Amino acid sequence: MSLLTRTLSGRRRDIALGTLLASTWQAGEAAVPFLIGVIIDRAVSGGLGDLALWLGALGAVYVCLSYSFRYADRIGERISEQTAHELRMRIVQRVLHERGGAETDRLPGALVSVATSDARRVGTVAMAVVFGISAVGAVLIAAVLLLSVSLPLGLLVLLGTPPLILLTRLIGKPLEARSETEQEHAAHASGVAADLVAGLRVVKGLRAESAAVTRYRDRSRAALAATVHASRTEAAYQGMVVLLSGVFLAIIAVVGGILAVRGELTVGQLISSVGLAQFLVGPMWTFGWAGTSIAQGRASARRVAAVLDAPAAVRGGSADPVVPVRGALAVRRSGLKFEVAPGEFVGIVTSDPALAASLVRLFGRACDPEDGTITLDGRPLTDLSPTSLRSVVLATDHHTDLFDGTLRGAISLSGRAPAEAVEAAMVAADADEVERTLPSADLEVRTLSGGQKQRVALARALAADPPVLVVHDPTTAMDAVTEARIAGRLRGIRAGRTTVLVTTSPALLAVTDRVIVLAASGACHSGTHRELLASEPTYRETVLA
């Protein structure tokens, strides 16, 4: 069962109620021209009593169709918005799932596009179904009324409408394919834009504005071309629907006129027939709109399903770490073998940035090793539940984002860390100095500079006070004086707990118990910072470059 089918089946009661009300509205709309024709015949025949009765019936129909449309539209909008909201929440829950995987090969902006634009289009399908079904009912009601007026007219509508609906469905196929392509390109453009905004300071620092603009321009042009193609297809589709509907209605009107000339229809019946033919313009337009919405919704549903059904980045493992956590780490993979003793304050140095980033992700179990094992207190990380592991091992990437909010709120994670832990962490990471320079304690953290954000991010990690802390280049945007001051404080606040600094900063490495050097070949050796500077030219070149 497809995502779209499952989503709509969960709303079948609301869809049924909305369809009933919308069908009532359409029935009332169809009854109006029919009743007008009857009223004209009654007026011609001179029956005042019957005329008053039918006028009253016409007034009642207007009241009924007005309220039924009002509540049908309200229900349709509610279903649409609730469906989109539920899909957004499911996407967010999938992206935040402990085992990850939804973000693989997708830019953050692309995920935002799926959670907003695609979810909205899927939600719109619910309303399209409500009014699409009611449009079918409207055509059937019009056919029945025309049958009561004239057998040929009624049969013409009954036999002509199914092929017309099938034809509109077939010519809507290209729109579905182009709509999916349009959404893909739009999502990529959003992703590039989000990355550009997030890295604006870096782009300006590298004076790479021209390259960044060129990259976004190329992606935006591709998105524009896809959108134009999809819009052309949609316009062609709507035009074909209008053309086919117009030809169909013209045939009905011509047949009705011929029957009137032959005397087979009264004046009132002719007016009813023409009025019903004009009424059918509405349902025919609804077919076109519903077909467009469903085609776009099907394409978007496939994109949403691709995120929701994305394979997990890490599989297996449901056990909890042994408590209390000692903090002993061991890495055994592809010739790379080293250990970190419980409570040790260790630096890890490598000239390969990809290896450094990969190691941090492995410690936090954002991914699993392709070979070998990484253990915590003798237990492989792959045996542990990701959530349980991350409650005792905090591994922070180099590019750490801060959520919107105040400085203290960001450090305490909205009050989850104790006040004393927050104070100590702010002092250790020199974030208290950042707070003192702010014009207001409630100032949003997004206004901070790169170095200030790094201090806040480091303070946040320290305030969590995990048994094992792994940080990756936490001071690269800070000046040398601030970096040296923070390095001297880190040992004190992390005393007795395992701490791994993946960095090439000499200030941080100088305060570690020892440094583990990882070579690109997989070999590794260790020693104190001072010893390695004196004996290892490669190490000296890496950390003093």
Side-chain angles (χ1 to χ4, degrees):
M1 186 184 294
S2 68
L3 172 74
L4 188 60
T5 303
R6 293 196 305 270
T7 301
L8 294 180
S9 64
R11 294 282 179 184
R12 55 182 177 272
R13 289 187 179 180
D14 287 337
I15 290 176
L17 178 58
T19 301
L20 177 62
L21 290 170
S23 298
T24 302
W25 160 62
Q26 291 279 26
E29 292 280 7
V32 169
F34 177 80
L35 290 175
I36 289 175
V38 172
I39 290 169
I40 290 174
D41 282 342
R42 292 297 184 274
V44 171
S45 64
L48 294 179
D50 285 347
L51 178 62
L53 177 64
W54 286 103
L55 283 172
L58 181 62
V61 167
Y62 267 115
V63 172
C64 182
L65 70 86
S66 175
Y67 277 95
S68 59
F69 172 77
R70 173 183 175 183
Y71 288 105
D73 191 61
R74 179 182 296 181
I75 290 173
E77 288 287 354
R78 188 181 71 231
I79 299 171
S80 177
E81 293 300 324
Q82 288 179 343
T83 299
H85 169 72
E86 290 177 1
L87 283 177
R88 283 194 295 270
M89 295 306 299
R90 288 178 61 188
I91 292 168
V92 170
Q93 290 170 356
R94 179 63 190 88
V95 170
L96 296 178
H97 194 274
E98 63 171 3
R99 298 186 183 276
E103 73 285 359
T104 303
D105 298 328
R106 294 183 178 91
L107 293 172
L111 289 172
V112 172
S113 178
V114 173
T116 52
S117 179
D118 286 306
R120 175 180 54 79
R121 283 187 169 184
V122 174
T124 301
V125 173
M127 178 170 277
V129 169
V130 167
F131 284 95
I133 294 176
S134 70
V136 174
V139 172
L140 293 176
I141 292 170
V144 170
L145 292 176
L146 282 171
L147 280 172
S148 68
V149 173
S150 168
L151 181 62
L153 287 176
L155 291 176
L156 179 61
V157 174
L158 281 175
L159 298 178
T161 300
L164 186 62
I165 295 176
L166 178 60
L167 188 57
T168 57
R169 177 73 184 92
L170 291 176
I171 63 177
K173 283 288 186 181
L175 176 61
E176 183 175 327
R178 292 195 174 182
S179 177
E180 186 168 9
T181 303
E182 172 199 0
Q183 287 296 93
E184 287 285 353
H185 283 286
H188 281 300
S190 298
V192 172
D195 280 359
L196 178 60
V197 172
L200 195 57
R201 295 180 187 271
V202 177
V203 170
K204 289 183 176 180
L206 295 174
R207 302 185 67 182
E209 294 94 332
S210 178
V213 169
T214 300
R215 181 186 177 214
Y216 179 72
R217 183 190 295 117
D218 292 342
R219 179 54 64 186
S220 182
R221 283 176 176 171
L224 175 62
T227 302
V228 169
H229 285 311
S231 298
R232 286 175 178 170
T233 304
E234 181 178 352
Y237 172 74
Q238 293 285 5
M240 286 297 296
V241 170
V242 171
L243 175 63
L244 293 172
S245 302
V247 171
F248 184 54
L249 299 178
I251 293 173
I252 295 174
V254 169
V255 172
I258 293 173
L259 293 175
V261 170
R262 292 178 176 176
E264 298 179 21
L265 295 178
T266 65
V267 174
Q269 289 174 333
L270 176 61
I271 292 174
S272 294
S273 300
V274 174
L276 285 168
Q278 291 177 332
F279 158 75
L280 286 173
V281 172
M284 293 301 177
W285 180 90
T286 301
F287 288 149
W289 168 79
T292 300
S293 299
I294 291 173
Q296 293 176 338
R298 284 166 59 91
S300 289
R302 285 194 290 269
R303 286 170 43 78
V304 172
V307 174
L308 296 179
D309 299 336
V314 294
R315 294 184 174 88
S318 58
D320 295 328
V322 177
V323 179
V325 175
R326 295 170 53 244
L329 296 173
V331 176
R332 301 281 187 275
R333 56 184 294 257
S334 298
L336 190 66
K337 297 181 180 181
F338 65 89
E339 296 182 0
V340 178
E344 194 173 15
F345 197 83
V346 172
I348 294 181
V349 173
T350 176
S351 59
D352 183 358
L355 176 58
S358 173
L359 196 59
V360 174
R361 289 175 57 81
L362 288 170
F363 278 130
R365 214 181 165 209
C367 60
D368 286 334
E370 296 180 1
D371 59 272
T373 60
I374 299 177
T375 63
L376 171 66
D377 293 339
R379 297 197 65 177
L381 299 189
T382 51
D383 290 349
L384 304 178
S385 159
T387 298
S388 299
L389 172 66
R390 292 164 194 160
S391 68
V392 296
V393 177
L394 175 58
T396 64
D397 293 329
H398 171 55
H399 298 290
T400 302
D401 294 320
L402 298 177
F403 300 109
D404 287 343
T406 63
L407 184 144
R408 284 183 175 267
I411 294 173
S412 67
L413 291 175
S414 302
R416 279 185 287 170
E420 58 274 14
V422 172
E423 291 292 341
M426 290 180 65
V427 172
D430 212 36
D432 58 335
E433 190 272 336
V434 176
E435 185 179 45
R436 286 192 297 270
T437 62
L438 296 179
S440 170
D442 295 329
L443 197 66
E444 295 282 330
V445 293
R446 64 170 176 265
T447 63
L448 302 178
S449 67
Q452 289 174 326
K453 286 182 178 180
Q454 274 199 333
R455 283 188 264 180
V456 173
L458 179 58
R460 180 178 63 185
L462 295 173
D465 197 27
V468 178
L469 175 63
V470 181
V471 291
H472 184 198
D473 279 332
T475 59
T476 51
M478 302 180 196
D479 60 83
V481 174
T482 302
E483 188 177 30
R485 189 163 57 239
I486 291 174
R489 296 170 179 171
L490 278 177
R491 280 192 66 96
I493 195 171
R494 291 294 302 169
R497 281 153 297 180
T498 304
T499 306
V500 178
L501 303 178
V502 183
T503 183
T504 57
S505 165
L508 295 178
L509 295 170
V511 300
T512 60
D513 296 327
R514 66 187 175 103
V515 178
I516 301 172
V517 183
L518 306 181
S521 62
C524 62
H525 54 278
S526 65
T528 66
H529 175 60
R530 187 181 298 274
E531 291 170 347
L532 292 170
L533 283 178
S535 61
E536 295 290 339
T538 303
Y539 176 80
R540 186 165 55 247
E541 180 181 343
T542 301
V543 302
L544 298 181

